[in-house]
Amino acid sequence: MSAQSCFLTLTHTTKIRTSQTHDHVTFNPIITSLHLITPTRPTRSSFHILKASARTAAHKTTTPTTDPKLVEKSVNTIRFLAVDAVEKANSGHPGLPMGCAPLGHVLFDEFMRYNPKNPYWFNRDRFVLSAGHGCMLLYALLYLAGYDSVKEEDLKSFRQWGSKTPGHPENFVTPGIEVTTGPLGQGIANAVGLALAEKHLASRFNKPDYEIVDHYTYVILGDGCQMEGVSNEACSLAAHWGLEKLIAFYDDNHISIDGDTDIAFTEDVDTRFKGLGWHVIWVKNGNHGYDEIREAIEEAKSIRDRPTLIKVTTTIGFGSPNKANSYSAHGSALGAKEVEATRKNLGWTHKPFHVPEDVKKHWSRHIPEGSVFETEWNAKFAAYEKKYKEDARELKDLINGGLPVGWEKALPTYTPEVPGDATRNLSQQCLNALAKVLPGLLGGSADLASSNMTLLKMFGDFQKDTPAERNVRFGVREHGMGAICNGIAHHTKGLIPYCATFFVFTDYMRASIRLAALSESRIIYVMTHDSIGLGEDGPTHQPVEHIASFRAMPNILMLRPADGNETAGAYRIAVLNAKRPSVLALSRQKLPNLQGTSIDKVEKGGYILSDNSSNNKPDVILIGTGSELEIAVKAGEELRKDGKAVRVVSFVSWELFHEQSDEYKESVLPSDVSARVSIEAGSTFGWEKIVGTKGKAIGIDKFGASAPAGRIYKEYGITVEAVIEAAKAVC
Amino acid sequence: MSAQSCFLTLTHTTKIRTSQTHDHVTFNPIITSLHLITPTRPTRSSFHILKASARTAAHKTTTPTTDPKLVEKSVNTIRFLAVDAVEKANSGHPGLPMGCAPLGHVLFDEFMRYNPKNPYWFNRDRFVLSAGHGCMLLYALLYLAGYDSVKEEDLKSFRQWGSKTPGHPENFVTPGIEVTTGPLGQGIANAVGLALAEKHLASRFNKPDYEIVDHYTYVILGDGCQMEGVSNEACSLAAHWGLEKLIAFYDDNHISIDGDTDIAFTEDVDTRFKGLGWHVIWVKNGNHGYDEIREAIEEAKSIRDRPTLIKVTTTIGFGSPNKANSYSAHGSALGAKEVEATRKNLGWTHKPFHVPEDVKKHWSRHIPEGSVFETEWNAKFAAYEKKYKEDARELKDLINGGLPVGWEKALPTYTPEVPGDATRNLSQQCLNALAKVLPGLLGGSADLASSNMTLLKMFGDFQKDTPAERNVRFGVREHGMGAICNGIAHHTKGLIPYCATFFVFTDYMRASIRLAALSESRIIYVMTHDSIGLGEDGPTHQPVEHIASFRAMPNILMLRPADGNETAGAYRIAVLNAKRPSVLALSRQKLPNLQGTSIDKVEKGGYILSDNSSNNKPDVILIGTGSELEIAVKAGEELRKDGKAVRVVSFVSWELFHEQSDEYKESVLPSDVSARVSIEAGSTFGWEKIVGTKGKAIGIDKFGASAPAGRIYKEYGITVEAVIEAAKAVC
């Protein structure tokens, strides 16, 4: 699980680390005095030009080499680390690392600014391997650069149980991995989110004399990522927002799993990207054209109004005499014989996993250099802090991810006297209340802001020229929206992205929601129109199985609040859960504020709303969620008139309820009371767990219909009468 | 529910209908003698030129008018039918129909070939409203054209319970609607599937002297569809396949729900489509430029190697003085006052739902003309049949959708002596066996053909120049693939599309799978790598909650076969279910052929595999699915050695089991045997329904891990030992 250091610790850690002695380069404290407070941040390459004289005198190794032989050797080191690791695991994807090693070398050795000893240094350049299957490229680079998370033994346990080097990059396993990738197209969209976060924070916190937020986001994506619709969605937005510090490398190798891309992918990607609004550069010789790659990156950095796509034509499995440029190099080990042939072909005489001394020595400078980057930035920040105290405090809070003291008090509370409202409207009240106290809350809707009720009234739109604002307009791009939010969430701990659409359209973004759950992203999914209660739009727009489908997903909270207090409580939970996303299912239709709800009770997941029984022995327990809790309450009232001892339970979140103590659970759902009726305007799938074999689950196990909401509720039997009948049947 | 007439009935029906007398035009039987067997099919517009002399003499009304006044009147009729219906429902989307009415008029009145009295006439032009929210446009056009499915009373009950005019177009409710749309981007992808089907069938069945399959597919998509990734995926494929008879109209109105598209959609769509490989035309004046629209369509038809996008710039809510060109015309009724103002503005003096007599008279020709189209085609087919008996028989079978006698015998059977294999490999054996007997089986994978094992060995690739082949290469485009298959399935009853990816990536295509379930598409989803059993690729690739998520979805079969016989049985079920899709979850890893499985038993959903109890009273029931059935079997053997009476049940499909009689269900899972243990390498969510409160469900309620499969199974407790332990605990 990820353990991101907090801001203050970073500074401390860095100080300790800079005094360490490293194996291959002695760290010279003189460098730490080089923390010039430059108004504009030097890139790594310009850094070397600016400081070459001071630097090269003391530390030859701190300058990126232009010695073609050493570069080639470094590139082949990367290639064989990947080949050897895949071979040892007898599983994995050697082709991409072999083809992209030149690009990887140039990027990590010459351009990117990072601190291997603190993978969470705030102002680092971000790198995303969207073609996540090629993760041995990334592991090899992290290893060479000196990250503690990837040592030689980690490479040797590639794809094995408990290793730091799983089959696809996982941010929660391996420090140095920014986001979890593998499902194609997600990474490029995550990168758009990372670049959005950078642009947003830079705009909010930078000053004419201090560029305190100032990094690039680099991403490698392959043909597969290019084919996925999610990448097109995100890339359209990246250009719309003018994310000029996003630099994407398209590994144009013409091979996917099924063979040559000619069989399914013959579009002109360059033209498409120009249409999307990107600057496009083509590096024709990605296998050897180091200078071409360097020039392309420099050109990309010079573009000030749009992101850049650098198409790098490479050969998959470069160096393998019989498998290069073929799908057989894509997704499985080369095999002992072909590994041998590749070694021979590339003149690689070393044993598996060997890093030649000169390569090792060359890369070793990244540890001290990274330390300098961070130290300089810390010094810059200290100066910034003196001048801009409030901004510095807020930025520090965002970096540390802590929540302001008393933030919860901002949440609105309700009494039954307050006129009823749709939970989507109550949600907007919560969002607007939270926006005042949570500096990291930002987000928006996939073109349904006025239906999802997601606009933050105190802010304008995050746009190309107004990036400090916090209302993000995603357009009709649910999947891109979800994946972009994953990027935002992992850029800075204190950023809390929310995103919205109709609940049924979680289907469009499910792959990104799953990755949020897996990669522990705090994202709030504001999902309105959560049942047949949306009415006339009909079955294409009415969710049925969606609540169940999220209850089945690991590490995600599915919350369905019933009124104002529960909506506020759901937001409280969503914000407090820093390592899991929350889905809020909200009504289109008006709901009353119920007696007995509260913000705090939501954290229990299920709780007693009303009860006229004694000794924890009601005749019947009625259980409702969201818009149907009102129905359960009304049925309870009727049944009590008939003399029944009725307990009404709100079941706002199954996950939270199941995390409670057995004692608490027994106090709400006593095991010897089998007379239970649940009501929820969605699939009954799974409800047997709550109502038991003898109980009854009222729900909807077919598709909805187009009609006014009240009519559909009646026709589908989601009524007070149905609950009463069921209760009588089970009592 | 759809009730598509079969081929033979069509001919019969047409004969009856052609002898009817219609209100506004007397059908002249002379026209039926006009069934010239022309080698190339005339378009509707050229039809009028070719036959104008014969036609105009007898039937003035059969010629599309070029009288601008009448055209404008017809267009305004369409506009006000939409406005009035939305107003009456006080719900809906008037903006698109008002803006697209000119295009709708030209298309349905002047270009499209259809038969209103038989919406299922095979060779009709297909029309898809991808921007499904604008369905009043389509309902108005179907009404004017004379479809029985949409009468004046249907327009008046727009969006009401039980009406033929639901809030979005639903093929299973309204004959004349080809596919169900509304969720944006789906329709254009469906249209790609329809055009694919046409190209495929034309290539298989047309002869130099008979173009027996020969129609266009038209689609209107809006800004929202353009933003969705699924549309980009499908449109990339459309160009790759050279679907030249696909003509897409992009309703370029610059407005989406959140306002001007400037806030989120500023890409250059024309350039993107050129990059995708489309021919692109821009109609700048979509509000009045009738000739421009006509010329654009003619130009599109002249393009022979690629699909055409006609960007039609329109004004949303055209005619509404205060709401046109604004989001307020998009998604709600204009309101009485604005309706009045719009009437005034457009000089529309008629009462709601009124169709002026001259407009009515003008449109009335479509009934006789449609009859002629079909009659001519039938005659052409009769001649074709004489010359090409076998082809005609096969095409007729495809149109009727019947299955060849004895097709099931082609399915392979297995005994326990047959060496074990992965169910994905067994699936390939089934697909290849079925391809020999099912002329409509075609499909492929999203770039995982060699992993999903989906190649039909007797066929080549469906490609631009080899469209008669049946292996479809979808590239890494799961969502596009799913939506394209919906189009294929609804083109011709006997076409049975299958599509494949890793099971976890159903998340990418879930929106299209849901639409398949809703719209009753027979699609076979071949979903391999169905659990942690896939091993090293890790949690991003390992499904956990997916089985549960499909069990919760209405009208879809979730099948998880355990061995060869069950895989064949699953295919049998999938093919037999003409009105619901099937998801087949298949293993990457090898599984033994088990004693007691059979093809036929799969139809029961759950059945007894082995049992040493008597009187339907086992000590314990062990229930397994797919790859875990083997574990249940082994645990059963061990427990029997300990003297237990153990029943082992295969639970291949919950849906099928629940459809069995109570008696049958009781015979498999007797209600008084509460000692039940289930094992499935997926979420336990929902299993309480089967194992009951006292049983135990063994499964995985967290994300997977990257390691060899055997190790993960052990670490996650999906083992024989765990089943034995649980069995002992519940006995």
Side-chain angles (χ1 to χ4, degrees), chain A residues 104-115:
Chain A
H105 169 88
V106 171
L107 204 51
F108 273 72
D109 190 57
E110 302 177 16
F111 281 88
M112 276 179 59
R113 292 166 52 98
Y114 53 86
N115 180 7

Side-chain angles (χ1 to χ4, degrees), chain A residues 184 229 233 236 267-268 275 508 537, chain B residues 184 229 233 236 267-268 275 508:
Chain A
L184 295 175
E233 292 181 13
S236 180
E267 65 177 56
D268 178 346
Y508 275 73
D537 273 345
Chain B
L184 295 175
E233 292 180 14
S236 179
E267 66 177 56
D268 177 346
Y508 274 73

